[in-house]
CSV table of all heavy atoms in Angstrom, one decimal:
chain,number,residue,atom,x,y,z
A,39,ARG,N,-7.7,-14.0,7.8
A,39,ARG,CA,-8.5,-13.4,8.9
A,39,ARG,C,-9.8,-12.9,8.4
A,39,ARG,O,-10.7,-12.5,9.2
A,39,ARG,CB,-7.7,-12.1,9.3
A,39,ARG,CG,-6.4,-12.4,10.1
A,39,ARG,CD,-5.8,-11.1,10.5
A,39,ARG,NE,-5.0,-11.2,11.6
A,39,ARG,CZ,-3.7,-11.6,11.6
A,39,ARG,NH1,-3.1,-11.8,10.4
A,39,ARG,NH2,-3.0,-11.7,12.7
A,58,SER,N,3.8,4.8,-3.6
A,58,SER,CA,4.9,3.9,-3.7
A,58,SER,C,4.4,2.5,-4.2
A,58,SER,O,3.3,2.1,-4.0
A,58,SER,CB,5.7,3.8,-2.4
A,58,SER,OG,4.9,3.4,-1.4
A,64,ALA,N,2.5,-14.1,-2.7
A,64,ALA,CA,1.6,-15.1,-2.1
A,64,ALA,C,0.5,-14.3,-1.4
A,64,ALA,O,0.2,-14.6,-0.2
A,64,ALA,CB,2.3,-16.0,-1.2
A,66,GLY,N,-2.7,-14.4,-1.6
A,66,GLY,CA,-4.0,-15.1,-1.2
A,66,GLY,C,-5.2,-14.3,-1.6
A,66,GLY,O,-5.2,-13.6,-2.7
A,85,ASP,N,0.0,-14.6,-6.7
A,85,ASP,CA,-0.4,-15.9,-6.1
A,85,ASP,C,-0.7,-16.9,-7.2
A,85,ASP,O,-1.2,-16.5,-8.3
A,85,ASP,CB,-1.6,-15.8,-5.2
A,85,ASP,CG,-1.7,-16.8,-4.1
A,85,ASP,OD1,-2.0,-18.0,-4.5
A,85,ASP,OD2,-1.5,-16.5,-2.9
A,129,ALA,N,3.9,-15.8,3.9
A,129,ALA,CA,4.2,-16.3,2.6
A,129,ALA,C,5.4,-17.3,2.7
A,129,ALA,O,5.3,-18.5,2.3
A,129,ALA,CB,4.5,-15.3,1.5
A,132,ALA,N,4.7,-20.5,4.3
A,132,ALA,CA,3.8,-21.4,3.6
A,132,ALA,C,4.7,-22.2,2.6
A,132,ALA,O,4.2,-23.2,2.1
A,132,ALA,CB,2.8,-20.6,2.8
A,154,ILE,N,12.0,-1.5,1.4
A,154,ILE,CA,11.6,-2.0,2.8
A,154,ILE,C,10.9,-3.4,2.6
A,154,ILE,O,9.9,-3.5,1.8
A,154,ILE,CB,10.6,-1.0,3.5
A,154,ILE,CG1,11.3,0.4,3.6
A,154,ILE,CG2,10.2,-1.6,4.9
A,154,ILE,CD1,12.4,0.5,4.5
A,164,ARG,N,6.7,-25.8,16.4
A,164,ARG,CA,6.5,-27.2,16.2
A,164,ARG,C,7.1,-27.6,14.9
A,164,ARG,O,7.3,-26.7,14.0
A,164,ARG,CB,5.0,-27.6,16.3
A,164,ARG,CG,4.2,-27.0,15.3
A,164,ARG,CD,2.7,-27.4,15.4
A,164,ARG,NE,1.9,-26.8,14.4
A,164,ARG,CZ,0.8,-26.1,14.5
A,164,ARG,NH1,0.3,-26.0,15.7
A,164,ARG,NH2,0.2,-25.6,13.5
A,171,HIS,N,7.4,-23.2,11.2
A,171,HIS,CA,8.0,-22.3,12.2
A,171,HIS,C,9.2,-21.6,11.6
A,171,HIS,O,10.1,-22.3,11.0
A,171,HIS,CB,8.4,-23.1,13.4
A,171,HIS,CG,9.0,-22.3,14.5
A,171,HIS,ND1,8.3,-21.4,15.3
A,171,HIS,CD2,10.3,-22.1,14.8
A,171,HIS,CE1,9.1,-20.8,16.1
A,171,HIS,NE2,10.3,-21.2,15.9
A,172,VAL,N,9.3,-20.3,11.8
A,172,VAL,CA,10.4,-19.5,11.2
A,172,VAL,C,11.1,-18.9,12.4
A,172,VAL,O,10.6,-17.9,13.0
A,172,VAL,CB,10.0,-18.4,10.3
A,172,VAL,CG1,11.2,-17.9,9.5
A,172,VAL,CG2,9.0,-19.0,9.2
A,173,SER,N,12.3,-19.5,12.8
A,173,SER,CA,13.0,-19.0,14.0
A,173,SER,C,13.7,-17.7,13.7
A,173,SER,O,14.0,-17.4,12.5
A,173,SER,CB,13.9,-20.0,14.6
A,173,SER,OG,15.0,-20.1,13.7
A,181,PHE,N,18.4,-13.5,5.9
A,181,PHE,CA,18.5,-12.0,5.6
A,181,PHE,C,19.7,-11.5,6.3
A,181,PHE,O,19.6,-10.7,7.3
A,181,PHE,CB,17.2,-11.3,6.0
A,181,PHE,CG,16.0,-11.9,5.4
A,181,PHE,CD1,15.1,-12.7,6.1
A,181,PHE,CD2,15.7,-11.7,4.1
A,181,PHE,CE1,14.0,-13.3,5.5
A,181,PHE,CE2,14.6,-12.2,3.5
A,181,PHE,CZ,13.7,-13.0,4.2
A,189,SER,N,15.6,-3.8,11.7
A,189,SER,CA,15.0,-2.9,12.7
A,189,SER,C,15.4,-3.3,14.1
A,189,SER,O,15.8,-4.5,14.3
A,189,SER,CB,13.5,-2.9,12.6
A,189,SER,OG,13.0,-4.2,12.8
A,198,HIS,N,-2.6,-14.0,15.9
A,198,HIS,CA,-3.4,-14.5,14.8
A,198,HIS,C,-4.7,-15.2,15.4
A,198,HIS,O,-4.5,-15.9,16.4
A,198,HIS,CB,-2.7,-15.5,13.9
A,198,HIS,CG,-3.3,-15.8,12.6
A,198,HIS,ND1,-4.3,-16.7,12.5
A,198,HIS,CD2,-3.2,-15.3,11.4
A,198,HIS,CE1,-4.8,-16.8,11.3
A,198,HIS,NE2,-4.1,-15.9,10.6
A,211,ARG,N,16.6,-3.2,2.5
A,211,ARG,CA,17.6,-3.7,1.5
A,211,ARG,C,18.7,-2.7,1.4
A,211,ARG,O,18.5,-1.5,1.2
A,211,ARG,CB,17.0,-3.9,0.1
A,211,ARG,CG,17.9,-4.7,-0.8
A,211,ARG,CD,17.5,-4.6,-2.2
A,211,ARG,NE,18.7,-4.2,-2.9
A,211,ARG,CZ,19.0,-4.5,-4.2
A,211,ARG,NH1,18.2,-5.1,-5.0
A,211,ARG,NH2,20.2,-4.1,-4.7
A,213,ASP,N,22.1,-0.9,-0.2
A,213,ASP,CA,22.3,-0.5,-1.5
A,213,ASP,C,23.2,-1.5,-2.3
A,213,ASP,O,24.0,-2.2,-1.7
A,213,ASP,CB,23.0,0.9,-1.6
A,213,ASP,CG,22.0,1.9,-1.1
A,213,ASP,OD1,20.8,1.6,-1.0
A,213,ASP,OD2,22.4,3.0,-0.9
Side-chain angles (χ1 to χ4, degrees):
R39 290 180 156 85
S58 62
D85 202 289
I154 305 290
R164 62 181 182 231
H171 178 75
V172 191
S173 72
F181 303 104
S189 56
H198 192 277
R211 194 197 127 151
D213 291 349

